[in-house]
Amino acid sequence: KQIIYSTIILGYYHFTYSNGLKIRKQYFAADTIFLIDTFIYDKNNKLVDTYSYDSNGKTVGHRRIVRNDKGQAIEEKWKEPYIGWRARKDGQLIEDEFYQINKYYYDSKGRSVKTEFYDIGNLRIVYEFKYE
């Protein structure tokens, strides 16, 4: 008799839609719910909030998108879902609702011209785009 053990745990996603919009994503590992994301939209069906929950229903992440009057994302802020990892600053645990931010800038034609990434309040990366 031979027994074979595998350390590979297969995971998969299950998506739920309503009126053509994704409203929930469930991540399963070894047939057990591991993480649940819920998606919230504005009146124009633009994504504005994503909440992440662990298998016990505890909120472990939140992402918010702020949009201008044209519906373009001008700011995206988030707190990542964590699994044994939490953001720290100067050795202290960060409990802020959002500690990472992208700021988006557009030209008069609505094209992206710059994205700034902030981590724990500090500007870390700037992407600039030029068009011909």
Side-chain angles (χ1 to χ4, degrees):
K1 181 176 180 180
Q2 182 179 17
I3 299 175
I4 300 173
Y5 293 95
S6 173
T7 58
I8 297 173
I9 298 176
L10 299 177
Y12 61 94
Y13 292 94
H14 179 266
F15 300 93
T16 304
Y17 293 85
S18 176
N19 297 321
L21 298 173
K22 180 170 51 175
I23 59 170
R24 176 174 288 182
K25 176 176 73 174
Q26 295 172 301
Y27 175 68
F28 291 80
D31 289 331
T32 301
I33 293 178
F34 189 67
L35 191 67
I36 300 168
D37 291 333
T38 60
F39 305 94
I40 310 297
Y41 299 86
D42 66 12
K43 63 182 177 172
N44 297 313
N45 293 333
K46 300 279 188 182
L47 182 64
V48 292
D49 278 300
T50 303
Y51 292 92
S52 298
Y53 304 93
D54 66 14
S55 60
N56 296 318
K58 180 182 177 191
T59 303
V60 293
H62 183 196
R63 182 176 293 260
R64 174 164 291 153
I65 300 171
V66 179
R67 298 181 180 279
N68 63 18
D69 58 354
K70 296 178 183 177
Q72 297 167 308
I74 57 172
E75 187 175 86
E76 182 177 14
K77 44 193 175 181
W78 67 94
K79 175 181 180 177
E80 289 292 333
Y82 68 92
I83 305 161
W85 175 86
R86 308 244 349 235
R88 295 181 176 273
K89 181 178 182 182
D90 301 327
Q92 299 297 314
L93 190 62
I94 296 175
E95 294 293 345
D96 295 347
E97 182 175 15
F98 304 110
Y99 52 80
Q100 294 177 307
I101 299 172
N102 280 341
K103 292 185 179 183
Y104 303 101
Y105 301 89
Y106 304 90
D107 66 12
S108 60
K109 294 182 179 180
R111 299 177 298 190
S112 181
V113 293
K114 182 168 68 168
T115 299
E116 297 173 343
F117 168 64
Y118 295 83
D119 184 35
I120 313 175
N122 297 308
L123 179 61
R124 300 289 186 189
I125 303 170
V126 177
Y127 299 98
E128 293 189 32
F129 310 94
K130 298 193 187 279
Y131 302 91
E132 294 180 5

